Amino acid sequence: LSFVVGNGGGENAFESVFKKYLKQSLLLNMNSKQDGRATEMTYQVSLADEDKGSALVAELSRVAGVERVHLITLKEDVEY
């Protein structure tokens, strides 16, 4: 899961969405964007309900200050 948060967009705003849709989350990376005016956040997440990925993305996208929400899901084992 990745998204961009504008500085001033509160972490508490998206934490409530995390609690609603996720079993667990682990912050993997934070990257400064727009000359420090925003931060790209990347998380490893486990959905509480595997069928609610689209709802998670939609609700996160509605949070003030959050934009460019992306979720990559894996439902089967991947062979390399």
Side-chain angles (χ1 to χ4, degrees), residues 9-27:
E11 184 174 316
N12 293 338
F14 65 82
E15 276 187 9
S16 64
V17 178
F18 277 25
K19 287 179 183 177
K20 182 175 178 179
Y21 290 99
L22 303 178
K23 279 192 286 193
Q24 61 183 20
S25 65
L26 174 65
L27 179 62

Side-chain angles (χ1 to χ4, degrees), residues 3-64:
F3 53 92
V4 175
V5 179
N7 293 341
E11 184 174 316
N12 293 338
F14 65 82
E15 276 187 9
S16 64
V17 178
F18 277 25
K19 287 179 183 177
K20 182 175 178 179
Y21 290 99
L22 303 178
K23 279 192 286 193
Q24 61 183 20
S25 65
L26 174 65
L27 179 62
L28 299 175
N29 189 43
M30 293 174 66
N31 188 21
S32 179
K33 296 286 186 184
Q34 302 171 2
D35 296 324
R37 293 188 307 266
T39 304
E40 180 179 32
M41 314 281 283
T42 303
Y43 287 85
Q44 177 181 329
V45 298
S46 294
L47 292 167
D49 180 342
E50 295 295 325
D51 296 326
K52 298 290 184 178
S54 294
L56 167 65
V57 170
E59 192 161 335
L60 262 181
S61 295
R62 288 191 298 270
V63 172

